Amino acid sequence: MNRSKRLSILLGVLVIFCALTLGVSKYEERKEKIKNSDKIILELNSEDVTELSWEYDSETFAFHKDENWLYDEDEHFPVNEEKINQLLGNFQSFGVSFMIEDAEDLSQYGLSDPLCMIHIGLEEETYEISLGNYSEMDEERYVSIGDGNVYLVKDDPLSSFDIELSDMIQHDEIPEFDTVTEIQFAGSENYKVVYKEENKVTYSKEDVYFVKEDSGELPLDTGNIENYVEIIHELNLTNYVTYDVTDEELKTYGLDDPELTVTLKYKAQDEERDEEKVETVVFHISRDPAEKEKEDTEEITAYLRVGESKIIYQISGLDYEDLMEVSYNALRHQEVIWVDFEDISRVKISLEGAEYELVAKEKNKENIWYYQDDEIETDDFRNALNALSASEFTEEKPSDKEEISLTLQIDNENQPDVKIELYRYDGSQCLAVVDGEPVSLVNRSHVVDLIEAVNAVVLN
């Protein structure tokens, strides 16, 4: 091999060596630009933001602030400003755990075609935030903010922006009802329920809700009232059918003349004055007018409106039925007698022509019951008495044989005596008369249980 040929070979080896050296050097330089980081890459105050938009899953949403937040495509849309602040809260202190400086191939991070693009505008600057792939190994998402770097972020904002327009609406809020002081029903039912802490009408201190009638005040079952209020409070008002209803459109939903309007007055805490105040909230309920005309349909499509709100909600058929169940008979006591048994001191019983008397005497702060001079157990009698409840309310006069009657002496000055008469009605029911007034039909088996309980005491 001549000298010139050897020099050519050596020169070639030198070139390859230099290229390798340069490649390693570049690799080392590149390697140094990939590093862990605890950097905060964005610090935004939501109060300073005037624009927010994002594109995700082929949908784009855009909002801007003009004193209040508005939806770009329809400024009548009631924007939930708390939801806007929640979205912006992702970037209040946007920290990363890993950064790649001067990233060149964004596709390997899913940032050449991002999953989500977020635009945030302030008065003097804007930010474009791209959300890329999710790193299964790091359990974090790749993000770019347009500064040439790629980051892995500690808190993934993507789930916050995976929402529908309906998630951005400011729904009508149903308040907490600490104490309901009045309920007014108008429409299918027309009467007022009033709250009175000092009960001077009935023998039960639990009675605090009353209906005013010409004859006086009629007690309602506190549990039934509380259950009804709870049904209202638990309504899921999210399924809106329109957020900008017109007067003409109200007819479409039957809400130009609602089937039922419920007006609640309730006590609420005035935080500024640190005192209670009385607030009012109104609910309008109607079934779909076209559907209502069809006598043979079991389907229920119903709507609700809160006060004068522009939002109309569709509610479930079950909620509709529960809300419409507000007759006096639905909310009154279903029991024939609802006195606390501990408040009864004497029971006079008439059964099959015989008269009996049970007496309670206090012993060691406990009522001990006696028949004649014998101490007796009253559990079966108490349970049978409590089981007498209405299967149907009626004003029908008795026309058949009396099965049993009881006169209860109660330790209550409002109503110290109550007389219950139970008459045969048919094979399955008896008619209950209280203080001379027909009240309800009751299951005859419960009357039989009461008679057997009395016989067990007096014939023992």
Side-chain angles (χ1 to χ4, degrees):
M1 183 181 297
N2 59 36
R3 185 170 179 271
S4 61
K5 191 173 183 179
R6 285 199 305 272
L7 287 174
S8 298
I9 293 172
L10 289 173
L11 183 58
V13 171
L14 180 60
V15 169
I16 293 171
F17 177 77
C18 290
L20 289 172
T21 303
L22 180 61
V24 171
S25 174
K26 289 293 183 182
Y27 173 78
E28 292 295 333
E29 180 183 351
R30 185 73 178 160
K31 185 178 180 181
E32 290 174 358
K33 291 186 178 181
I34 303 175
K35 58 186 178 183
N36 292 327
S37 174
D38 57 0
K39 183 179 180 181
I40 304 297
I41 58 173
L42 273 181
E43 289 184 288
L44 295 179
N45 184 344
S46 60
E47 295 295 321
D48 298 331
V49 179
T50 59
E51 296 176 359
L52 173 64
S53 63
W54 67 94
E55 182 180 346
Y56 178 63
D57 200 19
S58 301
E59 291 204 59
T60 301
F61 303 107
F63 301 85
H64 66 278
K65 186 193 289 186
D66 183 9
E67 293 187 4
N68 298 316
W69 280 97
L70 302 170
Y71 179 45
D72 285 9
E73 291 190 17
D74 184 356
E75 294 192 351
H76 291 102
F77 181 88
V79 177
N80 184 338
E81 301 206 2
E82 182 178 343
K83 187 66 177 179
I84 292 282
N85 290 332
Q86 287 177 1
L87 294 174
L88 293 173
N90 286 283
F91 311 108
Q92 183 176 357
S93 182
F94 196 39
V96 304
S97 61
F98 193 80
M99 65 182 297
I100 305 167
E101 294 181 343
D102 301 323
E104 294 180 358
D105 184 9
L106 296 180
S107 62
Q108 63 181 310
Y109 311 111
L111 290 168
S112 59
D113 183 18
L115 292 171
C116 180
M117 289 286 298
I118 303 167
H119 168 84
I120 298 176
L122 288 74
E123 286 190 4
E124 297 183 355
E125 56 186 331
T126 60
Y127 296 93
E128 303 292 338
I129 303 164
S130 303
L131 307 183
N133 292 340
Y134 186 78
S135 171
E136 298 292 346
M137 182 177 67
D138 301 288
E139 296 185 338
E140 294 182 356
R141 188 168 301 282
Y142 289 107
V143 169
S144 167
I145 60 171
D147 60 358
N149 300 327
V150 172
Y151 302 96
L152 277 173
V153 295
K154 297 176 181 178
D155 297 312
D156 184 4
L158 184 63
S159 58
S160 299
F161 289 87
D162 183 11
I163 54 179
E164 304 290 336
L165 180 62
S166 58
D167 296 312
M168 298 301 298
I169 193 171
Q170 179 61 60
H171 290 293
D172 296 302
E173 292 186 5
I174 299 178
E176 294 287 344
F177 304 116
D178 293 338
T179 301
V180 174
T181 60
E182 182 180 294
I183 308 176
Q184 177 75 57
F185 298 112
S188 59
E189 296 291 337
N190 290 278
Y191 67 95
K192 182 188 293 185
V193 177
V194 295
Y195 175 84
K196 297 181 68 173
E197 289 184 348
E198 297 297 328
N199 172 11
K200 299 186 181 299
V201 179
T202 76
Y203 48 70
S204 175
K205 59 181 178 294
E206 301 297 327
D207 290 340
V208 292
Y209 290 102
F210 299 86
V211 176
K212 287 187 176 180
E213 294 285 341
D214 294 338
S215 58
E217 293 177 330
L218 304 177
L220 296 174
D221 188 319
T222 300
N224 287 344
I225 293 294
E226 291 176 346
N227 288 341
Y228 186 80
V229 171
E230 185 66 14
I231 288 168
I232 291 177
H233 183 260
E234 294 299 316
L235 286 172
N236 183 23
L237 299 187
T238 56
N239 186 20
Y240 70 90
V241 292
T242 180
Y243 56 78
D244 191 26
V245 70
T246 64
D247 291 342
E248 185 64 29
E249 288 174 333
L250 284 174
K251 297 179 182 179
T252 305
Y253 309 110
L255 290 168
D256 57 322
D257 184 20
E259 284 185 67
L260 180 67
T261 293
V262 183
T263 303
L264 284 172
K265 290 186 177 180
Y266 61 97
K267 292 180 181 179
Q269 191 67 27
D270 188 333
E271 297 181 358
E272 291 184 2
R273 298 184 180 182
D274 194 24
E275 62 183 23
E276 280 190 332
K277 59 181 178 179
V278 176
E279 300 280 6
T280 301
V281 63
V282 180
F283 302 92
H284 307 287
I285 305 117
S286 274
R287 190 173 178 181
D288 181 90
E291 180 182 278
K292 191 178 177 183
E293 291 179 359
K294 300 176 183 178
E295 297 181 359
D296 59 344
T297 180
E298 295 183 0
E299 184 179 352
I300 295 178
T301 305
Y303 305 102
L304 181 143
R305 183 187 189 195
V306 181
E308 298 301 308
S309 171
K310 291 287 189 178
I311 307 176
I312 303 299
Y313 299 95
Q314 184 173 338
I315 58 175
S316 71
L318 181 60
D319 281 340
Y320 168 79
E321 291 177 326
D322 288 343
L323 290 170
M324 296 298 291
E325 195 70 18
V326 294
S327 67
Y328 166 64
N329 284 343
L331 297 179
R332 67 191 287 189
H333 286 279
Q334 306 300 299
E335 307 93 339
V336 172
I337 183 80
W338 58 92
V339 64
D340 188 333
F341 195 79
E342 298 303 318
D343 292 335
I344 301 174
S345 57
R346 188 182 301 268
V347 181
K348 295 180 180 180
I349 304 168
S350 177
L351 176 61
E352 297 291 343
E355 304 292 329
Y356 309 100
E357 186 174 58
L358 312 181
V359 179
K361 298 179 181 179
E362 187 175 333
K363 183 178 181 181
N364 297 326
K365 297 183 178 181
E366 181 182 358
N367 278 352
I368 305 299
W369 282 87
Y370 294 87
Y371 170 60
Q372 296 177 344
D373 294 326
D374 296 326
E375 184 176 328
I376 59 173
E377 292 292 336
T378 58
D379 287 352
D380 289 345
F381 175 74
R382 177 198 307 231
N383 293 337
L385 192 62
N386 291 338
L388 297 176
S389 59
S391 58
E392 178 185 339
F393 289 101
T394 181
E395 295 180 359
E396 185 177 348
K397 301 290 184 182
S399 60
D400 210 329
K401 174 188 173 183
E402 179 184 281
E403 299 272 24
I404 185 174
S405 71
L406 309 94
T407 300
L408 311 180
Q409 182 176 312
I410 302 170
D411 295 331
N412 187 289
E413 60 183 14
N414 294 339
Q415 199 174 359
D417 296 287
V418 176
K419 185 174 183 180
I420 304 169
E421 300 164 280
L422 297 164
Y423 293 87
R424 185 175 299 172
Y425 185 79
D426 58 27
S428 60
Q429 299 195 95
C430 289
L431 174 64
V433 175
V434 179
D435 290 337
E437 295 295 329
V439 173
S440 63
L441 301 180
V442 298
N443 193 309
R444 191 170 190 278
S445 65
H446 295 322
V447 178
V448 172
D449 289 343
L450 179 63
I451 293 171
E452 290 179 350
V454 170
N455 283 328
V457 170
V458 302
L459 299 179
N460 186 3

